[in-house]
Amino acid sequence: MNNIEKLIRERRSVRTFDGRELTEEDKEKLCTFIETIDNPYNLPIEFKLLEKMGCPVVVGTELYVGAKMQDAPQFNEAFGYAFEKLVLYAQSLGMGTVWIGGTMDRGAFEKAMELGADEVMPCVSPLGYPAKKMSLRESMMRKGVKADERLAFDDIVYWNNFEQPLTPDAAGKLFLPLEMVRLAPSAVNKQPWRMVVMGDIVHFYLQRSKNFRAGKLDMQKIDMGIALCHFELMAKELGICTEFTVAEPNISCKNEAEYIASYTLKLD
Ligand SMILES: Cc1cc2nc3c(=O)[nH]c(=O)nc-3n(C[C@H](O)[C@H](O)[C@H](O)COP(=O)(O)O)c2cc1C
């Protein structure tokens, strides 16, 4: 995948498709790419294309992609990371996608995925080519969650502790990887990711939104996986090597943000 910054800046959720089926070539490219998708937790994830499916917020395609995995610790974050790679690759082929974790007949999708008793299928996405004009329902949904807005950089990025916001200017070489996190999609556009930069390490925290219910399937932990994906891909494109770790740094936080993972930058 090339030009990650462009893909991330251009991506938006697509819920209105133009009715065309995917070309065989695009389908094949997508299936080949799926075989290469990894995640930093090294948890196996199985993707499947599902035909003749539907969901209430989507019009103009009946093709979906779902993914399932074993119910293991950190499966939500791993899923978010891996599925976002698929989303960005689909974007590079000119396809539209939208993360769907809530607005679907979950039973129907789990059946189509042949979900085992010890497996989970957190989200799916439709696949197709975006229509020129959004449905009225889609534009209303976007307004409802302020889908075109994001928090400011220094509302979500800090240095050394949660008391000191980091401005874009002060972020230096980390600006773009962190900016790509800021532009990420998140469930109900809640943007729960918070990052604390300490020297060459970036710690990722989850600031859970009020009234956001999370059971075993945790959409906000999936959001965190998406954040890790955007950060790592952008850093890589800039030639910055990163090492993934999960080791709580015990930074004190008034808002009780939950530690998720860290990237250490390998600078020569
Ligand atoms: C984990 C996750 C779950 C989501 N679930 C749904 C959903 O069930 N239905 C829906 O219409 N959009 C869903 N979305 C899409 C978000 O509403 C959307 O990403 C957000 O409003 C930002 O808009 P954008 O993707 O166009 O940038 C989900 C997004 C994420 C990341």
Side-chain angles (χ1 to χ4, degrees), residues 11-15 55 57-58 80 84 97-104 122-124 138 141-142 145-150 183-190 212 218-223 226:
R11 186 217 56 87
R12 64 164 176 87
S13 293
V14 175
R15 300 178 181 86
C55 103
V57 295
V58 173
E84 183 65 0
T97 57
V98 53
W99 280 84
I100 301 281
T103 58
M104 66 167 136
C123 295
V124 301
E138 178 167 21
M141 277 190 80
R142 292 191 69 79
V145 299
K146 298 194 170 78
D148 293 315
E149 295 178 23
R150 292 294 187 271
L183 299 178
S186 57
V188 206
N189 201 24
K190 290 290 185 191
F212 207 100
D218 186 337
M219 294 299 139
Q220 296 209 302
K221 286 200 169 158
I222 294 175
D223 294 341
I226 298 173

XYZ file of all heavy atoms in Angstrom, residues 11-15 55 57-58 80 84 97-104 122-124 138 141-142 145-150 183-190 212 218-223 226, ligand 1:
390
model
N -10.214 8.858 2.897
C -11.225 7.892 3.349
C -12.356 8.577 4.106
O -12.148 9.504 4.864
C -10.575 6.839 4.261
C -11.507 5.702 4.664
C -11.283 5.240 6.087
N -11.411 6.368 7.002
C -12.577 6.774 7.523
N -13.699 6.134 7.239
N -12.611 7.826 8.318
N -13.573 8.129 3.855
C -14.709 8.471 4.715
C -15.605 7.248 4.681
O -15.467 6.389 3.794
C -15.461 9.709 4.199
C -16.096 9.490 2.843
C -17.147 10.545 2.518
N -17.667 10.363 1.174
C -18.692 9.567 0.855
N -19.306 8.863 1.785
N -19.099 9.451 -0.396
N -16.505 7.153 5.629
C -17.443 6.038 5.600
C -18.332 6.180 4.383
O -18.813 7.280 4.081
C -18.305 6.047 6.864
O -17.509 5.764 7.993
N -18.550 5.077 3.674
C -19.449 5.088 2.512
C -20.612 4.153 2.803
O -20.410 2.969 3.105
C -18.700 4.629 1.239
C -19.666 4.510 0.054
C -17.580 5.610 0.899
N -21.817 4.708 2.764
C -23.019 3.898 3.027
C -23.936 3.856 1.803
O -24.945 3.184 1.811
C -23.773 4.442 4.250
C -22.945 4.444 5.532
C -23.700 5.030 6.706
N -22.906 5.049 7.934
C -22.063 6.012 8.284
N -21.878 7.056 7.487
N -21.391 5.955 9.420
N -27.738 -4.424 5.283
C -27.821 -3.813 6.608
C -28.517 -2.470 6.462
O -28.460 -1.850 5.396
C -26.459 -3.787 7.276
S -25.619 -2.271 7.294
N -28.339 0.637 7.142
C -27.807 1.958 6.788
C -27.133 1.979 5.415
O -26.660 3.026 4.976
C -26.791 2.468 7.847
C -27.461 2.704 9.178
C -25.627 1.492 8.009
N -27.092 0.819 4.750
C -26.312 0.715 3.500
C -27.226 0.477 2.307
O -28.114 -0.371 2.372
C -25.290 -0.440 3.625
C -24.591 -0.703 2.302
C -24.267 -0.132 4.708
N -9.239 -4.383 15.203
C -9.287 -3.006 14.704
C -8.117 -2.717 13.782
O -8.271 -2.151 12.697
N -8.717 -2.403 9.647
C -8.439 -1.079 9.077
C -7.448 -1.190 7.918
O -7.503 -0.402 6.971
C -7.922 -0.120 10.154
C -7.670 1.305 9.669
C -8.931 2.079 9.218
O -10.044 1.530 9.279
O -8.768 3.242 8.807
N -16.090 1.716 1.879
C -16.316 0.810 3.022
C -16.943 1.619 4.145
O -16.852 2.855 4.151
C -14.984 0.244 3.582
O -14.151 1.346 3.951
C -14.269 -0.634 2.573
N -17.552 0.945 5.089
C -17.891 1.582 6.366
C -17.827 0.498 7.435
O -18.343 -0.605 7.248
C -19.281 2.269 6.349
C -20.396 1.347 5.895
C -19.623 2.837 7.738
N -17.163 0.819 8.506
C -17.132 -0.084 9.657
C -18.562 -0.231 10.173
O -19.213 0.782 10.475
C -16.303 0.530 10.772
C -14.826 0.397 10.651
C -13.983 1.198 9.940
C -14.016 -0.596 11.290
N -12.698 0.767 10.110
C -12.686 -0.323 10.933
C -14.287 -1.674 12.143
C -11.626 -1.099 11.389
C -13.232 -2.445 12.594
C -11.912 -2.153 12.217
N -19.041 -1.467 10.310
C -20.370 -1.685 10.893
C -20.217 -2.619 12.090
O -19.876 -3.795 11.939
C -21.341 -2.334 9.863
C -21.493 -1.460 8.612
C -22.689 -2.634 10.517
C -22.409 -0.292 8.734
N -20.455 -2.055 13.286
C -20.371 -2.877 14.499
C -21.695 -2.941 15.225
O -21.906 -3.786 16.094
N -22.591 -2.007 14.866
C -23.870 -1.955 15.589
C -25.079 -2.132 14.689
O -25.956 -2.966 14.949
N -25.115 -1.355 13.604
C -26.337 -1.300 12.784
C -26.420 -2.466 11.796
O -26.348 -2.271 10.590
C -26.399 0.033 12.019
O -25.221 0.150 11.220
C -26.502 1.217 12.938
N -26.533 -3.663 12.359
C -26.670 -4.853 11.496
C -27.444 -5.925 12.237
O -27.551 -5.898 13.468
C -25.284 -5.411 11.131
C -24.534 -5.948 12.328
S -23.101 -6.931 11.851
C -21.854 -6.332 12.977
N -16.395 -9.109 15.391
C -16.761 -7.778 15.912
C -17.460 -6.866 14.902
O -18.415 -6.194 15.259
C -15.423 -7.191 16.346
C -14.524 -8.371 16.558
C -14.945 -9.385 15.543
N -16.993 -6.805 13.677
C -17.529 -5.833 12.711
C -17.516 -6.416 11.305
O -16.787 -7.374 11.018
C -16.676 -4.555 12.681
S -16.701 -3.607 14.204
N -18.284 -5.786 10.435
C -18.258 -6.123 9.002
C -18.210 -4.805 8.236
O -18.333 -3.730 8.822
C -19.521 -6.919 8.584
C -19.637 -8.207 9.376
C -20.786 -6.078 8.730
N -27.923 8.727 4.816
C -26.488 8.803 5.101
C -26.072 10.222 5.477
O -25.339 10.415 6.449
C -25.656 8.309 3.905
C -24.165 8.444 4.203
C -23.236 7.722 3.246
O -23.645 7.413 2.114
O -22.076 7.484 3.648
N -27.172 10.814 8.956
C -26.330 10.088 9.934
C -25.026 10.825 10.158
O -24.542 10.958 11.278
C -25.993 8.699 9.388
C -27.061 7.679 9.630
S -26.423 6.040 9.223
C -25.486 5.658 10.701
N -24.430 11.318 9.053
C -23.146 12.019 9.180
C -23.288 13.264 10.043
O -22.448 13.545 10.881
C -22.584 12.387 7.796
C -22.161 11.201 6.961
C -21.367 11.635 5.741
N -20.059 12.158 6.141
C -19.024 11.387 6.457
N -19.119 10.085 6.395
N -17.887 11.930 6.826
N -23.587 12.442 13.891
C -22.370 12.120 14.658
C -21.233 13.103 14.354
O -20.094 12.870 14.750
C -21.891 10.658 14.415
C -22.951 9.668 14.854
C -21.492 10.416 12.965
N -21.581 14.196 13.642
C -20.557 15.186 13.249
C -19.353 14.484 12.615
O -18.192 14.680 13.001
C -20.119 16.013 14.454
C -21.230 16.831 15.079
C -20.623 17.861 16.026
C -21.608 18.889 16.523
N -22.514 18.461 17.580
N -19.672 13.643 11.611
C -18.653 12.751 11.047
C -17.506 13.494 10.378
O -16.420 12.944 10.215
C -19.297 11.784 10.058
N -17.734 14.751 9.979
C -16.651 15.482 9.310
C -15.763 16.238 10.292
O -14.838 16.930 9.882
C -17.238 16.453 8.271
C -17.880 15.693 7.128
O -17.253 14.727 6.649
O -19.019 16.015 6.752
N -16.070 16.134 11.566
C -15.265 16.869 12.561
C -14.360 15.922 13.340
O -14.649 14.752 13.477
C -16.200 17.599 13.535
C -17.005 18.679 12.846
C -17.984 19.372 13.790
O -17.767 19.347 15.012
O -18.968 19.924 13.279
N -13.265 16.482 13.838
C -12.372 15.736 14.723
C -11.930 16.659 15.849
O -11.934 17.886 15.702
C -11.120 15.250 13.973
C -11.366 14.169 12.919
C -11.828 12.846 13.508
N -11.903 11.791 12.520
C -12.976 11.511 11.766
N -14.092 12.218 11.902
N -12.944 10.520 10.900
N -7.239 11.574 12.400
C -8.205 11.524 11.296
C -8.909 10.170 11.188
O -9.728 9.963 10.292
C -7.483 11.824 9.971
C -6.818 13.203 9.898
C -6.088 13.368 8.562
C -7.847 14.316 10.076
N -8.602 9.256 12.089
C -9.128 7.887 11.966
C -10.639 7.843 12.183
O -11.212 8.714 12.851
C -8.436 6.988 12.988
N -11.276 6.808 11.634
C -12.687 6.598 11.962
C -12.800 6.002 13.368
O -11.869 5.356 13.842
C -13.127 5.556 10.929
C -11.884 4.795 10.600
C -10.742 5.780 10.736
N -13.916 6.258 14.035
C -14.144 5.629 15.345
C -15.644 5.454 15.521
O -16.440 6.161 14.887
C -13.567 6.501 16.472
O -14.131 7.799 16.442
N -16.011 4.510 16.374
C -17.426 4.208 16.581
C -18.145 5.463 17.082
O -17.684 6.110 18.031
C -17.571 3.063 17.579
N -19.241 5.828 16.434
C -20.033 7.031 16.735
C -19.150 8.292 16.744
O -19.470 9.283 17.382
C -20.849 6.888 18.042
C -22.092 7.776 18.020
C -21.297 5.454 18.293
N -18.044 8.209 16.045
C -17.077 9.319 15.951
C -16.666 9.859 17.320
O -16.443 11.052 17.492
C -17.634 10.455 15.079
C -16.544 11.359 14.535
O -15.385 10.962 14.410
N -16.897 12.594 14.237
N -16.495 8.955 18.304
C -16.173 9.401 19.673
C -14.697 9.718 19.865
O -14.325 10.349 20.856
C -16.614 8.341 20.693
C -18.117 8.203 20.843
C -18.706 9.432 21.520
C -20.185 9.246 21.783
N -20.849 10.496 22.190
N -20.908 4.781 27.021
C -20.573 3.893 25.905
C -20.463 2.480 26.463
O -19.533 2.154 27.171
C -19.251 4.334 25.274
C -19.151 3.951 23.832
C -19.408 4.882 22.834
C -18.829 2.657 23.458
C -19.337 4.535 21.500
C -18.758 2.304 22.124
C -19.015 3.247 21.140
N -15.869 -4.736 22.166
C -15.629 -3.402 22.710
C -15.224 -2.473 21.560
O -14.067 -2.453 21.130
C -14.507 -3.510 23.756
C -14.274 -2.201 24.478
O -14.618 -1.136 23.916
O -13.721 -2.235 25.591
N -16.223 -1.727 21.048
C -15.974 -0.901 19.862
C -14.860 0.116 20.114
O -14.132 0.496 19.197
C -17.260 -0.185 19.413
C -18.341 -1.132 18.921
S -17.834 -2.098 17.480
C -18.510 -3.706 17.854
N -14.721 0.581 21.349
C -13.686 1.602 21.587
C -12.292 0.977 21.624
O -11.308 1.646 21.298
C -14.009 2.407 22.837
C -15.315 3.192 22.636
C -15.409 4.475 23.399
O -15.309 4.457 24.629
N -15.617 5.581 22.706
N -12.201 -0.283 21.987
C -10.891 -0.953 21.876
C -10.589 -1.227 20.403
O -9.430 -1.215 19.983
C -10.861 -2.233 22.706
C -10.757 -1.919 24.183
C -10.263 -3.077 24.980
C -9.932 -2.592 26.396
N -9.953 -3.695 27.348
N -11.638 -1.471 19.620
C -11.434 -1.613 18.178
C -10.910 -0.279 17.629
O -9.967 -0.251 16.830
C -12.744 -2.047 17.486
C -13.102 -3.458 17.947
C -12.619 -1.957 15.970
C -14.406 -3.993 17.456
N -11.496 0.830 18.088
C -10.992 2.157 17.689
C -9.495 2.279 17.982
O -8.737 2.868 17.205
C -11.707 3.278 18.456
C -13.185 3.396 18.114
O -13.601 2.879 17.055
O -13.925 4.012 18.913
N -7.454 0.610 15.394
C -7.403 1.436 14.171
C -6.329 2.518 14.343
O -5.540 2.794 13.427
C -8.783 2.075 13.895
C -9.848 0.989 13.664
C -8.706 3.037 12.708
C -11.280 1.517 13.540
C -15.538 0.281 15.429
C -16.516 1.079 14.587
C -17.856 0.726 14.533
C -18.754 1.449 13.724
N -20.066 1.019 13.630
C -20.914 1.659 12.787
C -22.233 1.166 12.611
O -22.664 0.185 13.217
N -23.035 1.819 11.714
C -22.612 2.912 11.002
O -23.379 3.425 10.196
N -21.346 3.421 11.168
C -20.505 2.802 12.031
N -19.209 3.266 12.180
C -18.724 4.418 11.371
C -18.531 5.700 12.193
O -19.778 6.248 12.509
C -17.659 6.677 11.395
O -16.399 6.108 11.207
C -17.489 8.015 12.103
O -18.735 8.668 12.192
C -16.518 8.957 11.356
O -16.930 9.174 10.033
P -15.983 8.811 8.816
O -15.716 7.317 8.883
O -16.762 9.175 7.575
O -14.714 9.581 8.963
C -18.304 2.577 12.991
C -16.947 2.940 13.075
C -16.052 2.208 13.841
C -14.614 2.579 13.857
